[in-house]
Amino acid sequence: MNDPLPQYQRLKAYVSDEIAAGRLRPGDRIPSELDLIKRFGVSRMTANRALRELEQAGAVTRVQGVGSFVAARKTEQAMFEINNIAEAVRAGGQAYGCRVIHLAAEAEPEMLAFMGLGAGTHYGRAVLLHLADGVPVQHEDRCANLAFAPHFLDQDFTCVTPYDHLMALGPLQAAEQVFEAALPGPELARLLQVPARLPCIVLRRRTWSMNMVASAARITAPSNRYRFSGVTGAVPPFGLGLPRL
Amino acid sequence: MNDPLPQYQRLKAYVSDEIAAGRLRPGDRIPSELDLIKRFGVSRMTANRALRELEQAGAVTRVQGVGSFVAARKTEQAMFEINNIAEAVRAGGQAYGCRVIHLAAEAEPEMLAFMGLGAGTHYGRAVLLHLADGVPVQHEDRCANLAFAPHFLDQDFTCVTPYDHLMALGPLQAAEQVFEAALPGPELARLLQVPARLPCIVLRRRTWSMNMVASAARITAPSNRYRFSGVTGAVPPFGLGLPRL
DNA sequence: TGACATTACATGTATATACATGTTGGGATC
DNA sequence: GATCCCAACATGTATATACATGTAATGTCA
């Protein structure tokens, strides 16, 4: 019925499972082509293809003459700038701060529906206010899948952003993002310290990792304090012409 | 000094240059592995690698038993959904319409600065109102580089969206997008037929093609009538079953 | 004319082999 | 002990070959 996976796919799955399971961590040396040949009985070209494709996928770094290693973390960069708000604030030369508004083991029904997970799954919810030089720039209502991040609620989010914590647990597989505009409403306006009639941009995001929904978030930012932007592709003047495919 | 390019890179460059130059257009058949073997005197594995990597890069679609083709529009798909508004409306089962508000050979200074092009370049500006079942869903203020799209102002935008026209002229290289939230202001509110206090989402976008800025646009959409969304990466449980927002 | 087999073509994967390039460590030599 | 050379290893690329799988067109036969 179902064909067996091609050999090179099996090798890729083997290596990326080791990474996903945490047995191989960023910077670790992964099996060389010769190792894979001996372990799986394949030819070198097959092992080479597996490792090369893992490199192209950003999961692995290869250095000629030295070996292959688990890549640091480039995956998230490619995905329309899943921004680390703390880094973005600091990059602008401002001081980053965070206030924890709410922390609970239960999530709102609306958010749960958004995450698309059924009953029997446990959630952690964190409502945070991100500050730049003390001024609120983003309100974040995040719901994490505790099956993916068991210690989500134990984090001190004034030090470690949800982004940092979740990213450390596994590579980002996919992200869905929806942009909307909305008025903040009285409570949000108070938290963000903006007039209730100031339009805010609302980003709802779901991320997948380790073959499950890792977390969902609703991020609200006053449009005059924070903008979501992204560049995809290679902008010519720097990339010397067409991005080499 | 500089090593010659590897063979497979030469093949990739050859094919992607043909695409970039417009000699191969979306849907066109590209040289088969056998063609490349005969033309460049390489082995089949080398031609295979070149075409396979072009496929992974999204430039080419390959069908076993049939051939390889210039990818329809996967490029733009990968770039955070540069949506064709007409298609999006029709996909929702509504009738698409477009009203041309303004058409001129001059662009606003603000837009010109945004495009980042100096003097001596010619621009065409089109202000359009996109309708779904007669209801305005998007206001588009677009400025095209006439060096890239010389016949931009001759288009009948009630039939051909700027997207269609520009996409037909060359492959998308890069896109920059900024999302903001704003109130529409009296004139826009009148055009969009919404209350002046309804928050709208504003997307400013620049696109590059053929090594130049192809066009810039400011797209305004009432948040209750249109949403910008995108998925990046592969959503795990085989793609399906995520609750629509 | 319609059904079916054949053929040509194209891609998908896998192997064995070869040579090139780069790194590293160990051992011989001075 | 310091230096240099070389072997072992790892990746990078290329080739010839093989078989599998899939599509499309063609020709044959009823």
Side-chain angles (χ1 to χ4, degrees):
Chain A
M1 289 294 110
N2 51 13
D3 328 338
L5 276 181
Q7 297 271 45
Y8 77 95
Q9 294 278 23
R10 284 186 53 224
L11 304 195
K12 285 174 69 175
Y14 168 70
V15 174
S16 59
D17 284 352
E18 291 291 303
I19 296 173
R23 289 188 288 274
L24 290 175
R25 307 175 60 84
D28 283 358
R29 164 175 237 114
I30 68 174
S32 72
E33 297 181 354
L34 200 61
D35 292 335
L36 293 176
I37 290 169
K38 284 185 288 201
R39 173 185 271 261
F40 290 90
V42 299
S43 78
R44 203 191 133 211
M45 283 307 292
T46 302
N48 179 274
R49 175 170 177 184
L51 293 184
R52 182 158 30 91
E53 292 192 359
L54 284 173
E55 183 185 35
Q56 285 170 339
V60 158
T61 303
R62 310 191 76 197
V63 182
Q64 186 176 16
V66 182
S68 304
F69 307 87
V70 179
R73 43 179 172 81
K74 279 213 295 236
T75 327
E76 57 267 47
Q77 207 74 6
M79 300 214 175
F80 195 71
E81 317 245 351
I82 306 285
N83 274 323
N84 185 342
I85 175 68
E87 266 184 25
V89 167
R90 294 200 188 98
Q94 296 183 288
Y96 170 76
C98 179
R99 245 184 75 199
V100 178
I101 307 293
H102 188 71
L103 209 55
E106 286 300 318
E108 291 180 323
E110 182 222 354
M111 187 69 94
L112 291 187
F114 180 41
M115 291 187 73
L117 290 180
T121 325
H122 296 113
Y123 304 91
R125 182 186 180 206
V127 180
L128 309 173
L129 194 64
H130 300 284
L131 314 167
D133 279 343
V135 177
V137 288
Q138 268 192 14
H139 177 272
E140 172 172 359
D141 187 345
R142 183 176 290 265
C143 182
N145 182 355
L146 293 185
F148 171 71
H151 305 109
F152 182 74
L153 291 170
D154 307 332
Q155 300 304 307
D156 177 5
F157 289 118
T158 59
C159 300
V160 180
T161 63
Y163 171 93
D164 285 326
H165 178 60
L166 296 170
M167 276 303 171
L169 293 174
L172 183 59
Q173 275 180 341
E176 182 196 42
Q177 308 193 82
V178 178
F179 289 94
E180 292 175 307
L183 297 180
E187 192 187 351
L188 260 183
R190 186 180 57 78
L191 283 172
L192 290 167
Q193 298 169 26
V194 295
R197 290 188 321 279
L198 184 89
C200 290
I201 190 152
V202 178
L203 165 60
R204 289 198 285 171
R205 178 190 290 156
R206 277 188 289 191
T207 55
W208 281 260
S209 188
M210 317 276 285
N211 292 328
M212 58 182 128
V213 175
S215 85
R218 187 182 61 233
I219 293 171
T220 308
S223 199
N224 56 345
R225 296 201 193 141
Y226 193 85
R227 278 196 301 222
F228 294 92
S229 65
V231 177
T232 338
V235 176
F238 316 110
L240 22 105
L242 273 186
R244 282 266 72 94
L245 292 176
Chain B
M1 287 291 107
N2 54 11
D3 336 332
L5 276 181
Q7 297 272 46
Y8 77 94
Q9 293 279 20
R10 285 186 51 226
L11 304 195
K12 285 173 69 175
Y14 167 70
V15 174
S16 60
D17 284 351
E18 291 292 302
I19 296 173
R23 289 189 287 276
L24 288 175
R25 308 172 58 85
D28 283 359
R29 164 175 236 114
I30 69 175
S32 73
E33 297 181 355
L34 200 60
D35 292 335
L36 293 175
I37 290 169
K38 283 185 288 201
R39 173 185 273 261
F40 289 92
V42 297
S43 78
R44 200 188 136 213
M45 283 306 292
T46 302
N48 180 275
R49 175 170 178 183
L51 293 184
R52 197 174 58 224
E53 292 192 1
L54 285 172
E55 184 186 33
Q56 284 171 339
V60 158
T61 303
R62 311 192 76 198
V63 181
Q64 185 175 16
V66 183
S68 304
F69 307 86
V70 178
R73 41 189 181 74
K74 277 257 244 335
T75 326
E76 57 264 45
Q77 204 77 2
M79 300 208 177
F80 199 71
E81 315 247 351
I82 307 283
N83 273 323
N84 184 342
I85 173 68
E87 265 187 25
V89 168
R90 293 199 189 101
Q94 297 182 287
Y96 170 75
C98 179
R99 247 185 71 201
V100 179
I101 308 292
H102 188 71
L103 210 54
E106 287 299 319
E108 292 181 323
E110 182 223 353
M111 187 69 92
L112 291 186
F114 181 43
M115 290 188 74
L117 289 180
T121 325
H122 295 113
Y123 304 91
R125 182 186 179 208
V127 181
L128 309 174
L129 195 64
H130 300 284
L131 313 167
D133 280 342
V135 177
V137 288
Q138 268 193 15
H139 178 270
E140 173 172 0
D141 188 345
R142 183 177 289 266
C143 182
N145 182 353
L146 293 184
F148 171 72
H151 305 110
F152 181 75
L153 292 169
D154 307 331
Q155 300 305 306
D156 177 5
F157 289 117
T158 59
C159 300
V160 180
T161 63
Y163 171 93
D164 285 325
H165 178 61
L166 295 170
M167 275 301 170
L169 293 172
L172 184 59
Q173 271 180 342
E176 182 195 43
Q177 309 193 80
V178 179
F179 289 93
E180 292 176 308
L183 297 180
E187 192 188 350
L188 260 182
R190 185 181 57 79
L191 284 172
L192 289 167
Q193 298 169 26
V194 296
R197 291 190 322 279
L198 184 89
C200 290
I201 190 151
V202 178
L203 165 60
R204 289 196 287 169
R205 177 190 290 156
R206 277 188 288 191
T207 56
W208 282 261
S209 187
M210 315 280 282
N211 292 329
M212 57 181 130
V213 174
S215 84
R218 188 182 62 233
I219 293 171
T220 308
S223 199
N224 56 346
R225 296 200 193 140
Y226 193 85
R227 278 195 300 225
F228 294 92
S229 66
V231 177
T232 340
V235 175
F238 317 108
L240 304 175
L242 55 152
R244 253 351 313 154
L245 287 175

